[in-house]
Amino acid sequence: MKISKNQILILITVLFIVSCRKEKEITVTAHIYGGDAFNPRPLSVFINGEYKGVLPDYTQSSLTCGQQGIDTSSLTFLLKSGEHNFVVKNRNGEEVHKSICKLRENGISGSCSQGGQEVTKSGDCLLLKLETDTGSIN
């Protein structure tokens, strides 16, 4: 049985379409936190240009998903999968942190253009520990 070029092209096209499955959209509970080492306070958080709130005045140096008091020690909100731009401004309106976080069904990644961040995900919980160019805010 001889296979024609058209049959090979059809097979390759079908394999390509099957391998390009759409990634499942997810929603996580995001917890953004810092501490009292960086001032001036308050620190306002913007995601994709939308104001999300102010970081609490004090948090522990490290949070874990599910720990008691996490909602009062962090700015907490729902975040859908995709690429998100994070900006943190101090009380003077100066940007002290800028980063991108890419949230996917199978993991997360991030990069910073100003300051730094530690990003961890456990189940439907996402933790973002923020730092600025002038030092840690934890």
Side-chain angles (χ1 to χ4, degrees), residues 2 6 20 28 37 46 60 69 76 83 92 106 120 136:
K2 192 172 187 179
N6 286 344
C20 292
V28 298
F46 298 83
Q60 301 169 351
T76 303
E83 183 173 299
N92 300 325
N106 60 351
T120 55
S136 176

Coordinates of all heavy atoms in Angstrom, one line a residue, residues 2 6 20 28 37 46 60 69 76 83 92 106 120 136:
K2 N 0.7 2.0 -1.0 CA 1.5 3.3 -1.1 C 0.7 4.4 -0.6 O -0.5 4.6 -0.8 CB 1.8 3.5 -2.6 CG 2.8 4.5 -2.9 CD 3.2 4.5 -4.3 CE 4.4 5.4 -4.5 NZ 4.8 5.4 -5.9
N6 N -0.5 13.7 -0.3 CA -1.7 14.3 0.3 C -2.1 13.6 1.6 O -2.5 14.2 2.6 CB -2.9 14.3 -0.7 CG -2.7 15.3 -1.8 OD1 -1.9 16.2 -1.7 ND2 -3.5 15.1 -2.8
C20 N -2.2 20.4 19.8 CA -2.4 21.8 20.2 C -3.6 22.0 21.0 O -4.4 22.9 20.8 CB -2.5 22.7 18.9 SG -1.0 22.9 18.0
V28 N -6.9 30.9 40.9 CA -6.3 30.6 42.2 C -6.6 31.8 43.1 O -6.9 32.9 42.7 CB -4.7 30.5 42.0 CG1 -4.4 29.3 41.1 CG2 -4.1 31.7 41.5
A37 N 9.7 46.3 56.6 CA 11.1 46.7 56.4 C 11.2 47.8 55.4 O 12.2 48.6 55.4 CB 12.0 45.6 56.0
F46 N -1.1 47.1 42.0 CA -1.8 47.2 40.7 C -1.5 46.0 39.9 O -0.4 45.6 39.7 CB -1.5 48.5 39.9 CG -1.8 49.7 40.6 CD1 -0.9 50.2 41.6 CD2 -2.9 50.4 40.4 CE1 -1.1 51.4 42.3 CE2 -3.2 51.6 41.1 CZ -2.3 52.1 42.0
Q60 N 4.5 38.3 58.4 CA 5.7 37.4 58.8 C 6.6 37.4 57.6 O 6.3 37.8 56.5 CB 5.2 36.0 59.1 CG 4.2 36.0 60.3 CD 3.6 34.6 60.4 OE1 3.8 33.7 59.6 NE2 2.9 34.4 61.5
G69 N -4.4 32.9 59.5 CA -4.1 34.3 59.4 C -3.6 34.8 58.1 O -3.2 36.0 57.9
T76 N -5.3 39.6 49.4 CA -5.8 38.4 48.9 C -6.9 38.7 47.9 O -7.8 39.5 48.1 CB -6.4 37.5 50.1 OG1 -5.3 37.3 51.0 CG2 -6.9 36.2 49.6
E83 N -1.0 35.9 31.6 CA 0.1 36.7 32.0 C -0.4 38.0 32.7 O -1.3 38.6 32.2 CB 0.9 37.1 30.7 CG 2.1 37.9 31.0 CD 2.9 38.1 29.7 OE1 3.4 37.1 29.1 OE2 3.1 39.3 29.3
N92 N 4.1 57.9 47.8 CA 4.4 59.0 47.0 C 4.1 58.8 45.5 O 4.3 59.6 44.7 CB 5.9 59.4 47.1 CG 6.3 59.8 48.5 OD1 5.5 60.4 49.2 ND2 7.4 59.4 48.9
N106 N -0.3 24.2 34.4 CA 0.8 23.3 34.8 C 1.9 24.0 35.5 O 3.0 23.4 35.8 CB 1.3 22.5 33.6 CG 1.9 23.4 32.5 OD1 1.7 24.6 32.6 ND2 2.5 22.8 31.6
T120 N 5.3 31.1 44.5 CA 5.1 29.7 44.7 C 3.6 29.4 44.6 O 2.8 30.2 44.9 CB 5.6 29.2 46.1 OG1 4.9 30.0 47.1 CG2 7.1 29.3 46.3
S136 N 14.4 44.3 50.6 CA 13.3 43.4 50.8 C 12.2 44.2 51.5 O 12.4 45.0 52.4 CB 13.7 42.2 51.6 OG 12.6 41.4 51.9

